[in-house]
């Protein structure tokens, strides 16, 4: 006998009808008698979610100017001039140095990668992302700010291109949502724009499996989750926190629905 997992419902149905007549829906392996019960339970679950907190303070990164000095990319006098100009322009130091012809793009990118503790790519081919490696939608990629460029299925690794500063929150959300471990590589702002425009451009609408939506609040998010469950009948739900947003991915056999909801500030 199957009994609805919504605590205030607990309606039951014979197992034979659930199995062969496909009555109800399964979410994360538990049975619900109706989309309404899924929606109510999803809303309760989302209201109870709190963003993870870390008691360990982040290790401060070395300043870019110090790194570039150490690497021999600039001199102390050049750094002083760039910092003075930066106070007027408000531009990032790397961009300021390039504008003043004191450092080239590769030197700045090398310094930024050393600052973040990751590798970098000086040249990228946008063709490598046109087939949407990693299976994300183009809208997801834009929202996260990271572009998958290569997949290692054996080790469950997803090589992604991103801009500095390293988007650690986005990388954490990507890991939680997909189960893949992202391996970030820094690229220049120009190359990142080329990749973000090219990602998924060779995938037709009919081939797309991932639907991305921005939702206003928990009520709309819970309703979207219930609708996705009703459409696929058997789904799993994964959630992650990204900045001031809650990201939910509902995965079924036919499609994947992802929803991004701004989290209320407290």
């Amino acid at each position: 006998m199957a009994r609805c997992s919504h605590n205030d419902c607990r309606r039951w149905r014979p197992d034979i009808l659930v199995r062969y007549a496909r009555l109800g829906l399964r979410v994360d392996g538990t049975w619900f008698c109706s989309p309404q019960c899924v929606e109510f339970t999803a809303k309760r679950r989302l209201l109870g979610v709190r963003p993870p907190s870390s008691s360990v303070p982040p290790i401060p990164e070395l300043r870019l100017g110090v790194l570039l000095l150490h690497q021999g990319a600039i001199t102390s006098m050049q750094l002083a001039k760039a910092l003075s100009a930066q106070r007027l322009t408000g531009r990032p130091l790397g961009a300021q140095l390039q504008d003043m012809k004191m450092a080239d793009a590769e030197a700045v990118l090398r310094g930024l990668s050393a600052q973040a503790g990751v590798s970098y790519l000086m040249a990228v081919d946008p063709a490598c992302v046109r087939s949407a490696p990693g299976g994300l939608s183009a809208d997801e990629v834009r929202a996260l700010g990271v572009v998958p460029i290569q997949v290692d299925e054996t080790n469950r690794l997803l090589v992604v291109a991103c801009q500095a500063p390293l988007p650690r929150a986005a990388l954490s959300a990507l890991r939680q949502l997909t189960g893949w471990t992202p391996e970030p590589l820094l690229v220049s702002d120009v190359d990142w724009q080329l990749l973000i425009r090219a990602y998924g451009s060779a995938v037709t609408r009919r081939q797309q499996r991932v639907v991305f939506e921005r939702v206003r609040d928990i009520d709309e998010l819970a309703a979207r989750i219930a609708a996705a469950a009703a459409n696929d009948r058997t789904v799993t739900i994964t959630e992650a926190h990204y900045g001031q947003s809650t990201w939910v991915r509902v995965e079924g056999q036919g499609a994947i629905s992802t929803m991004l909801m701004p989290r209320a500030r407290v």
Side-chain angles (χ1 to χ4, degrees):
M1 179 179 69
R3 190 174 293 276
C4 183
S5 295
H6 174 16
N7 290 333
D8 297 335
C9 174
R10 306 302 290 169
R11 184 177 296 141
W12 67 272
R13 291 288 184 270
D15 287 338
I16 192 169
L17 290 179
V18 171
R19 185 177 305 168
Y20 295 106
R22 300 191 67 199
L23 294 182
L25 310 90
R26 289 197 177 274
V27 177
D28 292 337
T30 60
W31 186 78
F32 292 88
C33 69
S34 67
Q36 291 73 25
C37 286
V38 172
E39 181 176 348
F40 187 92
T41 304
K43 183 177 179 180
R44 179 178 290 176
R45 170 176 167 175
L46 291 165
L47 285 170
V49 168
R50 293 291 180 269
S53 58
S54 174
S55 58
V56 180
I59 299 174
E61 295 178 334
L62 288 174
R63 292 183 177 276
L64 177 60
V66 174
L67 288 166
L68 292 175
L69 279 173
H70 178 71
Q71 293 172 349
I74 58 174
T75 65
S76 297
M77 184 175 294
Q78 287 175 321
L79 177 58
K81 288 181 179 179
L83 289 172
S84 178
Q86 185 191 30
R87 284 192 284 273
L88 298 175
T89 64
R91 299 207 68 192
L93 179 59
Q96 188 67 57
L97 286 165
Q98 290 182 74
D99 286 349
M100 298 174 72
K101 310 299 182 185
M102 294 178 177
D104 60 27
E106 184 168 5
V108 170
L109 192 56
R110 184 168 58 247
L112 289 169
S113 69
Q115 185 183 47
V118 300
S119 298
Y120 70 95
L121 285 176
M122 198 54 221
V124 293
D125 181 3
C128 72
V129 302
R130 288 177 184 149
S131 61
L136 301 180
S137 70
D139 289 327
E140 279 184 297
V141 165
R142 292 187 186 95
L144 281 168
V146 297
V147 185
I149 58 177
Q150 186 177 344
V151 176
D152 180 351
E153 295 188 3
T154 302
N155 297 305
R156 297 288 291 173
L157 287 176
L158 191 61
V159 181
V160 298
C162 51
Q163 298 169 290
L166 192 68
R168 300 186 189 278
L171 294 170
S172 176
L174 182 60
R175 182 185 295 109
Q176 293 175 64
L177 289 170
T178 65
W180 291 70
T181 299
E183 183 176 309
L185 297 173
L186 290 186
V187 297
S188 70
D189 292 350
V190 171
D191 284 338
W192 187 83
Q193 290 291 345
L194 291 174
L195 290 171
I196 205 81
R197 286 196 295 268
Y199 185 85
S201 59
V203 180
T204 66
R205 185 174 296 274
R206 180 172 295 181
Q207 294 171 318
Q208 292 173 359
R209 290 194 68 230
V210 182
V211 177
F212 175 84
E213 297 177 282
R214 294 180 184 271
V215 298
R216 297 183 302 273
D217 51 33
I218 281 182
D219 288 333
E220 184 179 0
L221 180 53
R224 298 285 187 184
I225 290 172
N231 185 61
D232 249 304
R233 312 305 296 181
T234 301
V235 299
T236 58
I237 299 175
T238 309
E239 61 205 34
H241 296 284
Y242 171 49
Q244 290 299 319
S245 300
T246 294
W247 202 308
V248 175
R249 171 174 274 223
V250 183
E251 186 166 359
Q253 293 183 347
I256 299 172
S257 298
T258 61
M259 281 86 52
L260 186 64
M261 178 193 72
R263 200 166 61 244
R265 296 177 183 268
V266 295

